[in-house]
């Protein structure tokens, strides 16, 4: 089993910054964690969940067009933690943000989510 716990969400004004963290734990992840692609997704009220950013074990990253140049995903494999640095936040970034761990063998885990609200 893999447990994912997000933190770092909150209320921020437009133009501000937040850093989300996702800590992964569990014996399975301790052994196979480097095989997982880690990602951040978000879901706004009334909308579908969408990929924000992902990072492979080798550090290859992928971003949604809407966040390119503003968000940065990174991972610390020693700490089993993935981060999402969010700068120049906009009201349309308001959503519940979820951490995901995915392995092509079929393992797919989700965190409980952390709320990000961008408002003046």
């Amino acid at each position: 089993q893999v447990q994912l716990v997000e933190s770092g969400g909150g209320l921020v004004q437009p133009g501000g910054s937040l850093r989300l963290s996702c800590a992964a734990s569990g014996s399975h992840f301790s052994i196979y964690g480097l095989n997982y692609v880690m990602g951040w997704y978000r879901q706004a009220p009334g909308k579908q969940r969408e990929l924000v950013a992902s990072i492979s074990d080798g550090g290859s990253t992928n971003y949604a067009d809407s966040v390119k140049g503003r968000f940065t995903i990174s991972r610390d494999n020693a700490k089993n933690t993935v981060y999402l640095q969010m700068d120049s936040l906009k009201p349309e970034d308001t959503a519940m943000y979820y951490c995901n761990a995915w392995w092509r063998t079929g393992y797919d885990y989700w965190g409980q989510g952390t709320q990000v609200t961008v408002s003046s």
Side-chain angles (χ1 to χ4, degrees):
Q1 284 291 346
V2 174
Q3 293 80 42
L4 302 174
V5 178
E6 302 100 332
S7 61
L11 173 64
V12 63
Q13 292 187 341
S17 298
L18 282 175
R19 189 175 84 151
L20 306 183
S21 299
C22 172
S25 63
S27 57
H28 175 89
F29 197 87
S30 297
I31 299 170
Y32 300 109
L34 291 179
N35 292 298
Y36 282 83
V37 175
M38 302 298 296
W40 286 97
Y41 288 72
R42 67 186 181 188
Q43 187 168 19
K47 294 188 177 181
Q48 289 189 330
R49 190 173 295 190
E50 62 175 356
L51 174 67
V52 177
S54 64
I55 185 168
S56 71
D57 62 303
S60 297
T61 57
N62 181 48
Y63 294 94
D65 288 343
S66 59
V67 306
K68 282 181 181 177
R70 300 188 299 121
F71 290 11
T72 303
I73 189 170
S74 61
R75 66 191 289 172
D76 185 334
N77 292 324
K79 295 182 178 180
N80 290 337
T81 301
V82 62
Y83 304 97
L84 185 68
Q85 177 66 41
M86 304 187 294
D87 299 318
S88 302
L89 282 160
K90 304 175 181 180
E92 50 264 43
D93 294 318
T94 295
M96 185 71 79
Y97 283 71
Y98 297 91
C99 181
N100 174 259
W102 176 83
W103 187 7
R104 67 177 186 275
T105 56
Y107 292 100
D108 191 14
Y109 298 96
W110 293 90
Q112 298 280 8
T114 184
Q115 178 68 38
V116 172
T117 302
V118 185
S119 176
S120 55

